[in-house]
Amino acid sequence: GFSKIVNEMKSNSSDSDYLGFTLHSLNLKSKDPGYVAFRPVDQVKGDVLFEIFGGIIQSNAESVKSTDTFKVECTRVNLPVGSGRVRPGLFNNFNEESKSRKGIVVIKNNDNLCLARAIVVGKAHAKKDPQYKAIRQNDAKRQTNKAQKLITKSRVQIPVEGAGIPELEKFQDHLKKYNITVYNFNSKGRDVYFEGGNTDAKFKINLLFHQGHYNVITNLTAAFACNYFCEACHIPYDHKGHHRCSNICPCCQTTSPPCTLEHKGIVCPLCRRHFR
């Protein structure tokens, strides 16, 4: 009967589904069918169709016969269940994302020298060392040897558990021509773990830190998946003009630090603005 139809539909539905029913007689084509409005599965009673059937019988008592055929249509709606705007991440962990990002070099080590290794790779990249690839890949132990040499020259003692802020400060004191900036993973560059403060340095070494391990950032926008990145404010952004500060070039609105003025620039005779 009707109850069997309803119970079968309920058994094939999930708790978040809504059910709606339509009941009409094939012999009363000119009459409107009876409806059961959509409602949660747990609010659909077994006798709901019988109640609609009773209403149709009362309204058409003279024309309804015992041999009439009735048609039942059931519509099930599966509503999406969520907790707001959630966008699943593309990567499962730090190592997976570092390997996938073009602007990050993964430091592979079985010792406690990952910071020193990352710094020597960062140095080679910043200075465009011809041996950069060999140092990055640790060919002939070039990376290992340079890392150990850096530790000796900087007079740094690396703890068994790995290097932290004290060791970073000593490396920065030794590397006068470089400025070391270490960004925390999963912050898109907004959260800085360490900043050397050597703003006048000719070369920059950018590192990515997570749970005691350091990787090298060779391209900030690629590493943080953005179009532009203000190194002074540590702000990623995707459109020109969306970030304004004294460190962004007022002309091109993309370069940090600002573009240098060459040949005194060009002055517009109409607006008197200076163009570089």
Side-chain angles (χ1 to χ4, degrees), residues 166-222:
E167 291 72 37
L168 276 163
E169 291 175 342
K170 290 183 179 180
F171 281 131
Q172 180 63 85
D173 289 341
H174 173 69
L175 299 171
K176 304 295 184 183
K177 296 182 180 180
Y178 298 83
N179 185 59
I180 302 174
T181 304
V182 183
Y183 297 91
N184 278 315
F185 171 65
N186 210 23
S187 69
K188 294 200 71 172
R190 295 182 178 89
D191 189 8
V192 178
Y193 176 70
F194 173 83
E195 191 165 14
N198 191 8
T199 55
D200 297 328
K202 183 179 180 180
F203 304 106
K204 298 176 182 179
I205 299 175
N206 295 311
L207 307 179
L208 189 64
F209 176 75
H210 182 64
Q211 295 182 350
H213 188 78
Y214 299 84
N215 285 333
V216 183
I217 298 175
T218 57
N219 186 300
L220 289 167
T221 55

Side-chain angles (χ1 to χ4, degrees), residues 21-264:
F21 295 89
T22 302
L23 177 66
H24 58 88
S25 171
L26 299 182
N27 303 95
L28 300 173
K29 295 182 180 180
S30 61
K31 301 294 183 180
D32 292 332
Y35 296 98
V36 177
F38 284 105
R39 62 192 66 181
V41 170
D42 59 357
Q43 295 182 18
V44 177
K45 299 179 181 179
D47 60 353
V48 65
L49 286 179
F50 191 80
E51 293 177 359
I52 300 300
F53 176 72
I56 294 176
I57 295 297
Q58 290 180 0
S59 301
N60 303 275
E62 297 180 356
S63 55
V64 174
K65 300 178 181 179
S66 59
T67 56
D68 285 353
T69 302
F70 284 83
K71 181 179 179 181
V72 178
E73 293 181 357
C74 177
T75 303
R76 182 179 64 186
V77 178
N78 181 255
L79 296 180
V81 178
S83 57
R85 186 181 178 186
V86 178
R87 181 182 178 184
L90 297 175
F91 309 102
N92 295 319
N93 52 54
F94 171 66
N95 189 49
E96 184 177 314
E97 180 164 351
S98 295
K99 288 181 178 179
S100 301
R101 297 289 184 196
K102 292 183 178 180
I104 300 175
V105 173
V106 176
I107 298 299
K108 301 177 182 179
N109 66 299
N110 295 318
D111 48 33
N112 61 342
L113 307 181
C114 69
L115 175 57
R117 291 175 179 274
I119 290 176
V120 297
V121 173
K123 282 182 61 181
H125 177 266
K127 293 185 68 175
K128 298 182 180 180
D129 192 322
Q131 294 187 345
Y132 166 67
K133 184 177 180 180
I135 296 171
R136 186 190 69 198
Q137 297 178 347
N138 199 23
D139 293 344
K141 294 187 177 181
R142 284 183 173 86
Q143 183 188 114
T144 303
N145 294 335
K146 285 184 175 292
Q148 292 173 341
K149 187 176 180 179
L150 174 64
I151 291 171
T152 301
K153 285 187 174 182
S154 303
R155 298 181 180 180
V156 174
Q157 293 287 336
I158 304 293
V160 176
E161 64 274 13
I165 298 295
E167 291 72 37
L168 276 163
E169 291 175 342
K170 290 183 179 180
F171 281 131
Q172 180 63 85
D173 289 341
H174 173 69
L175 299 171
K176 304 295 184 183
K177 296 182 180 180
Y178 298 83
N179 185 59
I180 302 174
T181 304
V182 183
Y183 297 91
N184 278 315
F185 171 65
N186 210 23
S187 69
K188 294 200 71 172
R190 295 182 178 89
D191 189 8
V192 178
Y193 176 70
F194 173 83
E195 191 165 14
N198 191 8
T199 55
D200 297 328
K202 183 179 180 180
F203 304 106
K204 298 176 182 179
I205 299 175
N206 295 311
L207 307 179
L208 189 64
F209 176 75
H210 182 64
Q211 295 182 350
H213 188 78
Y214 299 84
N215 285 333
V216 183
I217 298 175
T218 57
N219 186 300
L220 289 167
T221 55
F224 299 137
C226 59
N227 291 328
Y228 308 103
F229 188 84
C230 178
E231 294 186 55
C233 302
H234 308 301
I235 297 293
Y237 58 105
D238 290 325
H239 304 284
K240 289 183 180 181
H242 279 203
H243 175 68
R244 295 293 183 92
C245 72
S246 59
N247 299 287
I248 297 294
C249 178
C251 297
C252 68
Q253 297 183 12
T254 61
T255 305
S256 174
C259 302
T260 57
L261 185 64
E262 298 180 357
H263 309 297
K264 297 183 179 180

